[in-house]
Amino acid sequence: MMAAPLIMVGAGHAHLVTLRDWIKQGYRAPAGSLLVTPESDAWYSGMMPGLLAGRWQAEQCRAALAPLCRAAGISLQLDRLSTLDAERGTLQLASGALLTGQVISLDCGAGTPAPANSDGSVELIGAKPFGTLYRRWRQWRDAATPARIAVLGGGPAAVELVLALQRALPSCQLTLICAGPLLGAQPHRAARITRTLLTKRGIPLYEQHEINRIQDGSLLTGDGRAVRTDAVVLATGTAAAPWQEASALATDGAGFIRITDTLQSQSHPHILASGDCATLAGCPHSGVYAVRQGAVLGHNLRALLTGSPALHHFQPQPRALALLATADAQALACYGPLALRSRAARRLKDHLDSGFMRSLQVS
Ligand SMILES: Cc1cc2nc3c(=O)[nH]c(=O)nc-3n(C[C@H](O)[C@H](O)[C@H](O)COP(=O)(O)OP(=O)(O)OC[C@H]3O[C@@H](n4cnc5c(N)ncnc54)[C@H](O)[C@@H]3O)c2cc1C
């Protein structure tokens, strides 16, 4: 089997930036290079809550991959990685195809953790993959709205999703359930503002409510507290895909790929990883950091493909601005200890999000 010079896996944020930068620079990947990803479009997470709330159209929130790949000299293969043998550089795809790559770049995101025990009495749907959630949301909106949906999670994504779903599905009772405190990684003021907002919108909030069992239509905590629901949307953080640990790549205790600041695997330098599938000290799992890794990744992949020794180093910024969509004319801005909900924050969010998507359009 001929080894492809480069196999990119997943159309995550860092890969989108890599392709965009290469196109801008006029660089084309060596012939035979591939992007393997299951869908023909890449969804942009920052705009997903706005899409579900009815503010955006789907076309505004996803980037078509075929034109990006074509312009960067990459073949697009719609498939899914099932297993990776890091020692041999071989990838087994869901279709059964077997590929070998000289350089492999992984930016395939992460799953969402689900309660350990479920009897199947409640529908569970992850916040990711976005395409699946979007299609299910359309069915809920157009045909069969559940009477009750619980969003599990206490971070920005869970807050944005519960507010967006409530706006889109007014006949549905939404509930937000957090294992710990609400918005624990954000300033206290952000949690206070959000609690007030949830109360105003009639969304019950359960904090310190870790759900570990689902039985007979109820979500149960270890100490027996129960919340009844028909469906659950999981926005519970990130869970590594099982193939990562089985790949022989160095991983952390949770299965995320350990990388150096050049975004190379700590154990296999010809394999790079970025975004939520990877772990690097000081770099949280978030779209902002995945996008920033993209510029370094694009440079380093190009350097490895052309035999240049000059690799760039990624330095995660110590803090990043978080802008949470609140399914109305405002957004909640959080930076360091500061939190403020305002119309200006939403205008800034719209400007940044739509600017990013415009930058991915290839004429
Ligand atoms: C509702 C919601 C809103 C969010 N809003 C924000 C925000 O405003 N700002 C922010 O910073 N972060 C936000 N996040 C977090 C953000 O979505 C993630 O941190 C970010 O998407 C990670 O990007 P990534 O590059 O790792 O890959 P992802 O964007 O997760 O993309 C992964 C890609 O890999 C593909 N893939 C997956 N498995 C395979 C496989 N086995 N083989 C091949 N391809 C595969 C997928 O189809 C997809 O194309 C939000 C998350 C959610 C759930």
Side-chain angles (χ1 to χ4, degrees):
M1 190 192 339
M2 276 268 289
L6 169 67
I7 301 178
M8 301 170 88
V9 181
H13 293 51
H15 276 172
L16 295 176
V17 172
T18 293
L19 295 178
R20 180 192 74 186
D21 288 357
W22 285 355
I23 295 165
K24 265 199 215 146
Q25 295 157 6
Y27 174 71
R28 288 177 67 80
S33 298
L34 293 171
L35 170 66
V36 176
T37 194
E39 295 206 43
S40 55
D41 296 290
W43 292 94
Y44 178 48
S45 58
M47 292 169 87
M48 283 307 287
L51 170 65
L52 301 188
R55 290 208 47 239
W56 302 111
Q57 299 297 312
E59 297 64 43
Q60 295 170 290
C61 309
R62 59 189 179 200
L65 295 173
L68 272 170
C69 286
R70 206 176 305 122
I74 306 257
S75 301
L76 176 61
Q77 189 155 338
L78 296 183
D79 211 328
R80 173 177 285 281
L81 176 67
S82 296
T83 56
L84 168 68
D85 181 337
E87 294 295 321
R88 294 196 170 89
T90 53
L91 300 90
Q92 172 86 56
L93 306 188
S95 64
L98 200 62
L99 302 174
T100 307
Q102 290 166 11
V103 175
I104 296 170
S105 178
L106 305 167
D107 180 22
C108 42
T112 32
N117 303 300
S118 171
D119 66 359
S121 57
V122 171
E123 174 184 5
L124 295 181
I125 183 149
K128 288 189 168 188
F130 293 127
T132 311
L133 175 62
Y134 173 64
R135 286 184 283 274
R136 190 66 183 118
W137 166 83
R138 282 177 51 160
Q139 291 166 346
W140 284 342
R141 185 197 57 183
D142 299 340
T145 309
R148 295 163 299 196
I149 299 177
V151 174
L152 292 198
V159 168
E160 290 189 307
L161 282 176
V162 81
L163 293 170
L165 288 168
Q166 195 229 17
R167 163 135 280 196
L169 310 171
S171 65
C172 175
Q173 175 62 61
L174 267 301
T175 301
L176 180 60
I177 305 179
C178 322
L182 178 70
L183 292 178
Q186 303 298 335
H188 294 313
R189 192 174 141 73
R192 275 204 306 278
I193 293 171
T194 305
R195 286 189 195 102
T196 307
L197 195 57
L198 292 169
T199 306
K200 265 197 196 146
R201 305 247 174 112
I203 301 174
L205 166 68
Y206 297 89
E207 296 182 69
Q208 310 291 355
H209 238 76
E210 187 174 355
I211 304 299
N212 52 24
R213 194 154 53 92
I214 301 180
Q215 196 179 335
D216 299 331
S218 287
L219 310 179
L220 300 160
T221 61
D223 58 5
R225 290 170 291 166
V227 180
R228 288 195 70 74
T229 193
D230 303 303
V232 165
V233 174
L234 299 165
T236 40
T238 50
W243 60 258
Q244 294 185 184
E245 210 148 28
S247 65
L249 289 171
T251 54
D252 66 9
F256 294 103
I257 301 161
R258 284 187 189 278
I259 53 172
T260 64
D261 64 358
T262 55
L263 310 180
Q264 292 169 287
S265 151
Q266 280 186 4
S267 54
H268 297 75
H270 64 292
I271 299 182
L272 291 84
S274 50
D276 285 0
C277 67
T279 183
L280 178 70
C283 187
H285 283 157
S286 106
V288 169
Y289 287 86
V291 164
R292 299 220 168 151
Q293 286 178 346
V296 173
L297 181 71
H299 174 89
N300 288 356
L301 285 175
R302 191 173 165 179
L304 291 170
L305 291 166
T306 52
S308 156
L311 298 186
H312 283 181
H313 300 265
F314 175 71
Q315 280 227 309
Q317 66 207 93
R319 56 175 62 156
L321 174 67
L323 291 164
L324 279 65
T326 49
D328 58 8
Q330 305 192 35
L332 175 59
C334 306
Y335 188 75
L338 307 174
L340 178 72
R341 198 165 91 87
S342 68
R343 286 174 184 267
R346 200 194 88 178
R347 280 197 297 276
L348 177 62
K349 178 167 174 55
D350 287 355
H351 173 74
L352 296 173
D353 287 344
S354 45
F356 179 67
M357 289 314 284
R358 267 199 310 278
S359 79
L360 298 174
Q361 279 166 16
V362 177
S363 47

